[in-house]
Amino acid sequence: MKKAIFAAMGLLAGVASADAKTLVAYYSRSGNTGTVAEIIKNATGADIFEITTLDANHYPAEYRPATEVAKAEIENGEYPAIASVPDMTQYDTVFVGTPCWWGTMAGPVHTFLTTADLSGKTVVPFNTHEGSGAGTVHADIEKLTPNSAHKTGIAIRGSVAADAGGTVGNWLTEIGLN
């Protein structure tokens, strides 16, 4: 009986992996990166996963103190624990989204990339910013996922994230994922 149950579970897992091939994983403090993640999800039919810190109050609510915590993390190479990581075995392509903080990815995304096994997957970076562009975000994501294939990323100004559907759609077409 147990063997039959486990065999049925295995078949169901196979069905799930055949249906869900793409994931949009993102961290968003202000909501801008989350907005772009939703645009990507809607355009591609991907699953979506919000990366959250284990301590919901890890970053102060006020902007300036939050940036100081983020800066210290980057300078010290010490990143926050995250609440969870999804089962990555079912995905072939993973969009990874982050705000650009101090020229690189947010700490929770660093933790995600060093925790989740993205080997053999196609990783597609995207980020939001308010003037710094991509900084080193996309290159840093590639460094943390050396056993993955990579597609060209996109940087979206956070203040126009809600109106970025056309820009994101064009980018997805350019990289062959729309």
Side-chain angles (χ1 to χ4, degrees):
M1 179 70 169
K2 283 185 182 179
K3 286 184 181 180
I5 291 171
F6 287 120
M9 289 172 61
L11 287 174
L12 289 174
V15 169
S17 66
D19 292 341
K21 297 280 188 190
T22 302
L23 176 69
V24 179
Y26 73 95
Y27 173 78
S28 187
R29 181 179 179 277
S30 67
N32 294 330
T33 307
T35 296
V36 176
E38 286 289 334
I39 292 169
I40 295 168
K41 173 191 144 288
N42 292 336
T44 62
D47 291 343
I48 195 162
F49 174 77
E50 183 177 6
I51 301 165
T52 59
T53 56
L54 187 58
D55 174 3
N57 297 314
H58 178 77
Y59 296 106
E62 300 80 26
Y63 176 76
R64 180 68 66 200
T67 65
E68 293 306 318
V69 170
K71 184 177 183 181
E73 289 171 352
I74 294 164
E75 289 174 347
N76 299 327
E78 296 175 2
Y79 302 100
I82 58 176
S84 64
V85 174
D87 174 9
M88 300 305 295
T89 60
Q90 60 189 316
Y91 301 108
D92 297 323
T93 302
V94 180
F95 287 86
V96 177
T98 179
C100 184
W101 287 355
W102 299 101
T104 190
M105 72 191 84
V109 175
H110 188 283
T111 302
F112 173 79
L113 292 172
T114 57
T115 304
D117 183 6
L118 300 181
S119 299
K121 301 185 185 316
T122 298
V123 174
V124 189
F126 68 97
N127 72 283
T128 57
H129 65 91
E130 282 306 333
S132 59
T136 61
V137 170
H138 304 171
D140 293 343
I141 288 173
E142 284 191 31
K143 287 178 192 171
L144 292 178
T145 56
N147 299 316
S148 302
H150 300 93
K151 294 273 189 180
T152 302
I154 192 170
I156 301 286
R157 185 175 286 273
S159 59
V160 299
D163 298 319
T167 301
V168 171
N170 290 339
W171 165 66
L172 291 170
T173 299
E174 287 172 14
I175 63 171
L177 293 176
N178 192 3

